[in-house]
Amino acid sequence: MVQKYQSPVRVYKQPFELVMAAYQKRFPTCDMIPVFVGSDILNEEESEDKATYTVERRCKLNVNAPYILKRVAGCEYVYFVQKNALNRRERTLNISAFNESFSSRVVVKENCEYSVHPDNSDWTCFEQSATLEVKSFFGFENMVEKIAIKQYTANIKKGKEIIEHFLTELQNQGVTHIPTWCEENPHLMVDPTEEGPVDAKDETETEEGENSLSRSGSAGDAHSSNERIRGADANLDEDYIEHNLGMLNPIEESTLIQLRIWLSDTHNGKIPRDEHILRFLRSRDFSMEKTREILCQSLSWRKQHQIDRLLDSYVPCETLQQYYLGGWHHHDHEGRPVYVLKLGQMDTKGVLKALGEEKILRHILCIMEEGLKRCQELSAEQKKPMCDRQAPPTSTTDVIIPLHHHHQDSSDDVTNNETTTPSTQVEPISSWTCIVDLEGLSMRHLWRPGIQALLRFIELIESNYPETMARLLMVRAPRVFPVLWALLNPFIDEKTTSKFMMYTGTDYLRPGGLIDYIPEQYIPDFLGGSCKCNIPAGGPVPKSLYRKEWENRETGELWEDTIYERANLFKGMPHEVVVKVPEKEGVITWDFDSIRGDILFTLYYSNKEVFDENEDTSTNNSSVAPGGPQNSQMIPKNFVLDEDFSVVEAGIVCREGESVQGSHVASDVGCYILQWKWAGATGSNQSSTVQDVFDQVTHSAKAKLIYYHELLPSENFKGSMTSLESCQSAFSSLTIASR
């Protein structure tokens, strides 16, 4: 495989002639380059007017390689041939080099160019590119490739230091100006009036080429595509990378530039912002092939769904503004934006039922776009002189700005005691911190459709917004949280999960908690801080806001492909499900909704054999309504309560339209029976009404439900058994409040 390297544009703020004088001091050898032992001139040629000068050298290198590799190769030194072509008239130096040693096994090619900066004739630009191909090397191909790359990248950064060292040496010697060839030979210069007219198109292209080297990168949306020149002009300035993208090693710089050039060539010169490209590269460990694939997919997705216009067109609906408990809240110690989400107090089930996945996803995408925009604005703010920055907030009260307002709030200020001074190089802001308050998290949040929707959201965000979260601080996590985490963890990238930090109880208020990441004056008031956080109070979403497919679920398509089962309840005929628990401490969980009528739910236990729902139930009482789901009674008629079976979870009534979730830690091995029955009749001796007789004749159910249950092995949840046990029949406060 051919390894490629492309350097950014390195700028020396010295004239070309001075840089050339400094460059010549590297020969025949240079103490600052230990591997460069020496060089011999093979060929030298200069034109009569001294406008061009060509020299070919044979360079001797002492490569830092393992002794065994040198013994196998049978040589101590490696030789390269370097050809320099200096054009003093045009003020350019082109350098080409290739390896002479082992040329049949290893192919190394390098090309460099010194030229005058297009915007400033007193500055000099330097660009460098190289390729490496190891065909065969006595079985040490991988080792040779790693050594070559390591040696090469180690000397790249030294190159600029060496030139600047010799420039300083020239200045100390009093050499501050060297006349150009044109200044020394004015009589050889061609009269401009004798030249042909300059084509207007060529002039325009020249101006565009010049502008490409001095791009500012401060305009446009977070991902808006910007016009770029095709080919090599899609390169970046080394100083631009350092000040706008942060410190990158040579290989990372090279991969970024190569990907930009490829995007420019394949996307008609339109490429996304460099920060966006860099995030994708980091998410794939700077693998060119992997990044190219996922980035192109993301760009197509953004174009298809017009994501770039989302912030300008989106206005959250009233339901989201009232019941989605999240908002932006100041910044962390590094100046990153902070987003706060009160997940435990949010009626996630109600929000999903009222709005559906599409609207919630659109809202989440707006949050992501807003976060990127804030990062861009904060990075720009950091680069300003201190006197030009926004004044710090005068109080600790924060304002949560709606997503459709795009101006900065007090959280955009970075001029506090935690920020660095202008004299210190600061890393640009490209990600944000998220605080998730889990207080109130219960089995209600483990609603399976909600979990499935959340997993789809996570997948979409990881595919299109990689490396946007610096850290996720989860506070006041209840012990039931491991159940939710066990469901989500397999679907979240390992690199992402390494940024998660979880705090239980009040640990987050101590050293090592929030104060290590968030300035103390910005810790939200509901977490024990002094800063007001204007996140909505929320509460249960009214049933009247539920979408039609949720209101009329017995005929809705939503349940055709689902893990939920349906059951009809008739008068005096409950529906029962048997769960056989083979070991102690297994966790039985359930989730059900009453579609019609009031339902009484009870959990029983028996150490005797009870019919399994998957076994033959012909000897049991069962009923099937025409075209409806089966109703099964699993407890034998001859069983006596408190002798053959007992109640382990007292009955709870679920009103029509409500949902119930719960769990039970099995203290004994045996059969557990989940029973649902119509709660309309208050006594067993109640006389039949005309309606009851009509229902029996027409097989009309008194109540209908959808349900899901699961047995979780105890070994999967060690350490969380106490919390699950405390949740027995402790249904969500949101459910209770909605009754």
Side-chain angles (χ1 to χ4, degrees):
M1 181 178 177
V2 179
Q3 299 289 341
K4 297 181 180 181
Y5 172 78
Q6 174 64 57
S7 76
V9 178
R10 187 179 301 159
V11 178
Y12 299 98
K13 297 183 179 180
Q14 297 290 343
F16 176 81
E17 287 70 27
L18 273 177
V19 173
M20 289 300 97
Y23 176 77
Q24 288 300 323
K25 286 181 170 288
R26 297 176 50 168
F27 301 100
T29 185
C30 179
D31 294 336
M32 296 182 68
I33 312 177
V35 298
F36 185 30
V37 179
S39 63
D40 299 317
I41 295 178
L42 301 178
N43 186 31
E44 190 173 14
E45 183 178 346
E46 187 173 34
S47 63
E48 292 184 5
D49 58 3
K50 297 186 178 182
T52 61
Y53 171 70
T54 303
V55 59
E56 192 172 3
R57 294 184 178 91
R58 189 169 186 258
C59 302
K60 183 179 180 182
L61 305 180
N62 183 14
V63 179
N64 185 16
Y67 175 74
I68 186 173
L69 187 60
K70 290 186 176 182
R71 285 293 303 270
V72 170
C75 68
E76 188 70 23
Y77 301 102
V78 175
Y79 292 90
F80 277 76
V81 175
Q82 183 190 77
K83 182 177 181 181
N84 294 359
L86 174 64
N87 189 322
R88 297 188 178 97
R89 184 199 301 267
E90 302 293 335
R91 303 178 76 189
T92 61
L93 171 64
N94 290 294
I95 305 169
S96 61
F98 62 90
N99 62 306
E100 187 179 72
S101 304
F102 310 109
S103 57
S104 62
R105 298 179 179 273
V106 180
V107 179
V108 180
K109 295 180 180 180
E110 181 185 52
N111 291 283
C112 306
E113 181 183 26
Y114 287 89
S115 60
V116 177
H117 194 286
D119 293 335
N120 191 329
S121 60
D122 290 332
W123 290 359
T124 305
C125 293
F126 172 77
E127 288 189 69
Q128 182 178 12
S129 63
T131 59
L132 166 67
E133 182 181 10
V134 181
K135 297 180 179 179
S136 64
F137 205 87
F138 314 107
F140 292 92
E141 290 80 12
N142 290 336
M143 181 184 292
V144 170
E145 184 175 286
K146 290 179 181 179
I147 292 173
I149 293 174
K150 182 179 179 181
Q151 195 85 59
Y152 190 77
T153 55
N155 292 326
I156 287 173
K157 289 293 185 182
K158 281 186 177 180
K160 186 175 182 179
E161 297 175 10
I162 293 170
I163 295 296
E164 290 178 342
H165 168 76
F166 288 129
L167 284 170
T168 303
E169 188 176 282
L170 287 171
Q171 290 176 351
N172 294 336
Q173 295 172 358
V175 181
T176 58
H177 175 74
I178 298 177
T180 66
W181 182 89
C182 295
E183 291 173 344
E184 291 182 332
N185 302 276
H187 58 287
L188 297 177
M189 294 296 295
V190 179
D191 189 346
T193 58
E194 297 179 4
E195 295 182 353
V198 178
D199 186 71
K201 180 179 178 181
D202 295 337
E203 185 177 336
T204 303
E205 291 178 351
T206 303
E207 291 176 359
E208 290 178 345
E210 292 173 356
N211 292 336
S212 67
L213 283 172
S214 57
R215 63 185 297 268
S216 63
S218 61
D221 294 332
H223 295 286
S224 61
S225 297
N226 300 313
E227 292 288 344
R228 294 288 174 270
I229 307 303
R230 296 172 62 86
D233 286 337
N235 205 337
L236 294 175
D237 188 301
E238 184 182 49
D239 291 336
Y240 165 82
I241 293 177
E242 182 176 339
H243 290 93
N244 294 275
L245 304 178
M247 299 300 296
L248 304 177
N249 64 44
I251 296 300
E252 292 171 347
E253 289 178 341
S254 173
T255 308
L256 171 63
I257 293 166
Q258 290 181 60
L259 184 54
R260 289 185 83 258
I261 293 173
W262 181 84
L263 287 169
S264 180
D265 290 339
T266 56
H267 289 69
N268 298 321
K270 296 181 179 180
I271 57 178
R273 293 182 58 82
D274 299 317
E275 297 90 335
H276 187 52
I277 300 174
L278 189 57
R279 272 191 289 268
F280 278 85
L281 282 169
R282 282 176 171 152
S283 71
R284 295 300 181 268
D285 296 320
F286 285 86
S287 168
M288 179 76 168
E289 291 74 19
K290 293 179 181 179
T291 305
R292 189 162 55 189
E293 179 181 359
I294 189 173
L295 178 57
C296 287
Q297 291 174 356
S298 179
L299 292 176
S300 298
W301 171 80
R302 295 185 66 85
K303 181 178 180 180
Q304 178 184 353
H305 298 283
Q306 297 184 324
I307 302 299
D308 289 337
R309 301 180 182 178
L310 200 56
L311 285 179
D312 296 327
S313 59
Y314 178 74
V315 178
C317 65
E318 186 176 345
T319 302
L320 279 170
Q321 293 183 27
Q322 186 173 352
Y323 297 105
Y324 191 89
L325 309 185
W328 295 99
H329 181 77
H330 292 287
H331 56 82
D332 63 11
H333 283 307
E334 287 76 30
R336 300 187 189 97
V338 174
Y339 190 83
V340 179
L341 180 65
K342 298 175 71 173
L343 180 62
Q345 296 297 316
M346 185 160 60
D347 183 7
T348 53
K349 191 171 185 178
V351 171
L352 183 59
K353 287 183 176 182
L355 299 173
E357 281 188 38
E358 186 65 28
K359 284 188 177 180
I360 296 175
L361 176 59
R362 191 171 182 83
H363 188 71
I364 292 173
L365 293 179
C366 267
I367 293 172
M368 301 302 294
E369 292 294 312
E370 178 75 10
L372 295 175
K373 187 173 186 297
R374 285 172 177 259
C375 289
Q376 181 184 349
E377 291 171 346
L378 286 171
S379 293
E381 189 73 16
Q382 280 186 334
K383 299 169 193 173
K384 294 180 182 179
M386 187 67 72
C387 59
D388 292 338
R389 297 187 185 184
Q390 294 183 6
T394 56
S395 69
T396 58
T397 301
D398 186 30
V399 177
I400 303 299
I401 300 298
L403 287 174
H404 57 285
H405 291 166
H406 296 157
H407 56 274
Q408 289 180 304
D409 64 4
S410 55
S411 67
D412 289 339
D413 173 68
V414 293
T415 57
N416 52 56
N417 295 332
E418 290 79 20
T419 57
T420 56
T421 61
S423 60
T424 305
Q425 176 64 39
V426 294
E427 283 290 310
I429 297 172
S430 60
S431 57
W432 56 86
T433 295
C434 187
I435 301 176
V436 179
D437 181 18
L438 297 174
E439 185 182 58
L441 191 74
S442 67
M443 296 302 293
R444 179 182 179 84
H445 292 82
L446 300 185
W447 183 51
R448 189 55 63 101
I451 296 294
Q452 292 173 336
L454 179 59
L455 292 175
R456 285 191 283 271
F457 296 160
I458 291 173
E459 180 182 8
L460 190 66
I461 289 171
E462 284 196 335
S463 298
N464 297 284
Y465 298 92
E467 297 297 311
T468 53
M469 185 175 62
R471 62 179 65 92
L472 180 69
L473 307 174
M474 295 178 285
V475 298
R476 302 200 287 189
R479 299 199 180 198
V480 71
F481 178 70
V483 181
L484 177 61
W485 181 243
L487 295 172
L488 298 179
N489 188 41
F491 301 94
I492 304 176
D493 181 72
E494 184 178 351
K495 198 172 183 180
T496 302
T497 57
S498 66
K499 302 173 183 178
F500 289 15
M501 302 176 190
M502 185 171 69
Y503 303 93
T504 58
T506 58
D507 291 345
Y508 63 90
L509 295 175
R510 302 170 186 168
L514 287 184
I515 59 175
D516 282 12
Y517 307 101
I518 311 294
E520 189 172 356
Q521 68 269 28
Y522 293 150
I523 294 179
D525 50 359
F526 64 86
L527 294 179
S530 59
C531 187
K532 184 179 180 182
C533 187
N534 292 331
I535 291 178
V541 179
K543 303 288 188 300
S544 60
L545 296 178
Y546 285 5
R547 297 174 64 173
K548 193 170 184 180
E549 59 264 34
W550 293 95
E551 295 172 353
N552 192 21
R553 283 167 293 186
E554 57 240 73
T555 60
E557 298 179 357
L558 193 63
W559 306 107
E560 291 183 0
D561 182 19
T562 178
I563 60 171
Y564 283 79
E565 299 180 60
R566 292 188 289 170
N568 292 335
L569 304 179
F570 302 90
K571 183 179 180 180
M573 299 179 64
H575 178 68
E576 297 167 346
V577 173
V578 176
V579 179
K580 293 185 177 181
V581 179
E583 60 177 358
K584 291 184 178 181
E585 306 302 325
V587 182
I588 305 169
T589 65
W590 56 85
D591 177 12
F592 65 91
D593 285 25
S594 172
I595 297 174
R596 173 183 170 186
D598 297 341
I599 298 172
L600 178 66
F601 171 76
T602 311
L603 180 66
Y604 297 97
Y605 166 75
S606 177
N607 56 8
K608 297 182 179 181
E609 186 68 21
V610 180
F611 289 104
D612 188 274
E613 61 180 338
N614 296 319
E615 296 176 354
D616 182 16
T617 60
S618 59
T619 58
N620 279 28
N621 295 328
S622 62
S623 173
V624 181
Q630 179 171 312
N631 170 273
S632 301
Q633 293 178 258
M634 299 298 174
I635 301 177
K637 291 267 189 184
N638 60 344
F639 269 34
V640 179
L641 184 62
D642 294 332
E643 291 184 10
D644 300 301
F645 69 107
S646 59
V647 176
V648 292
E649 289 282 351
I652 182 172
V653 176
C654 177
R655 304 297 179 187
E656 182 176 328
E658 290 182 353
S659 304
V660 170
Q661 297 78 34
S663 65
H664 178 83
V665 180
S667 57
D668 296 295
V669 174
C671 295
Y672 289 80
I673 304 101
L674 286 72
Q675 183 192 80
W676 295 271
K677 66 181 180 180
W678 176 52
T682 58
S684 57
N685 297 326
Q686 184 180 6
S687 60
S688 298
T689 64
V690 175
Q691 183 63 42
D692 293 336
V693 176
F694 179 79
D695 289 342
Q696 291 177 4
V697 173
T698 60
H699 297 279
S700 179
K702 288 289 187 181
K704 297 183 179 183
L705 77 149
I706 57 170
Y707 67 92
Y708 172 79
H709 68 90
E710 187 174 3
L711 176 63
L712 307 175
S714 60
E715 63 266 19
N716 291 351
F717 303 98
K718 289 181 179 178
S720 65
M721 292 298 99
T722 303
S723 65
L724 287 172
E725 208 165 306
S726 68
C727 288
Q728 295 174 16
S729 294
F731 298 102
S732 169
S733 59
L734 289 169
T735 300
I736 296 172
S738 63
R739 292 177 181 168

